[in-house]
Amino acid sequence: MKVFISYNSQDRKLAWQIADALRADFQVWDDTQFFPGDNWAEVIANELRESDAMVILLTPNSVYSPYMNAEVGYALGEQGYKGRVIPVLAAPSEQISQLELEIPWILKKFGIIYLSNLEHDEEGLRNITQALKKAAA
């Protein structure tokens, strides 16, 4: 299964950490696969079409991003993503309750996975992997 990770560019380090953890079981796309001269919008559109699932990284940086909203809108409308949209809330504990108010209600229906320790949350990373494996079954 090919997984697309939707994230804000300011959260790149965390997104790469998640991508690295998922690569043991899945093919994961991230922006390290851009090449000089690539048309960014075209590459993203192609990767969205070719992916089977989406991990949505919800952080203080991404919740208000129009790019994230466009990617999430695509995933919610694309039949191939049905049951394979995995929202992940990653924020310091003191910001979680405020962010939960800002997350689109539809994402809450999928069951949010929480990353509490943004640097080394092995349990959270396992939960993302398990959610994707369950969705693939």
Side-chain angles (χ1 to χ4, degrees):
M1 178 164 62
K2 187 171 186 179
V3 178
F4 183 92
I5 300 179
S6 175
Y7 63 94
N8 183 285
S9 62
Q10 294 173 318
D11 300 317
R12 183 173 285 123
K13 181 180 174 187
L14 180 58
W16 290 352
Q17 181 182 6
I18 293 169
D20 287 344
L22 295 177
R23 282 194 178 97
D25 298 292
F26 306 101
Q27 182 182 1
V28 182
W29 183 87
D30 64 42
D31 65 1
T32 62
Q33 298 164 24
F34 276 119
F35 298 102
D38 280 351
N39 178 325
W40 179 83
E42 185 179 312
V43 171
I44 294 290
N46 286 338
E47 291 302 325
L48 282 169
R49 281 191 296 273
E50 293 175 8
S51 293
D52 305 301
M54 181 184 289
V55 171
I56 303 166
L57 188 54
L58 301 164
T59 67
N61 297 319
S62 70
V63 169
Y64 304 104
S65 167
Y67 299 112
M68 187 200 73
N69 290 334
E71 292 166 3
V72 170
Y74 177 86
L76 295 176
E78 177 59 37
Q79 189 64 22
Y81 280 82
K82 187 174 183 180
R84 296 180 178 161
V85 176
I86 313 295
V88 176
L89 180 59
S93 56
E94 63 273 5
Q95 293 181 352
I96 288 178
S97 59
Q98 179 60 38
L99 271 180
E100 286 176 324
L101 296 174
E102 303 297 331
I103 295 170
W105 67 271
I106 191 71
L107 292 180
K108 295 174 185 177
K109 296 286 185 183
F110 293 104
I112 295 173
I113 295 173
Y114 293 86
L115 287 181
S116 56
N117 179 344
L118 301 183
E119 291 300 316
H120 304 287
D121 188 344
E122 296 300 322
E123 180 181 353
L125 295 172
R126 275 193 306 276
N127 289 340
I128 296 167
T129 300
Q130 292 304 317
L132 286 166
K133 285 180 178 181
K134 183 178 176 183

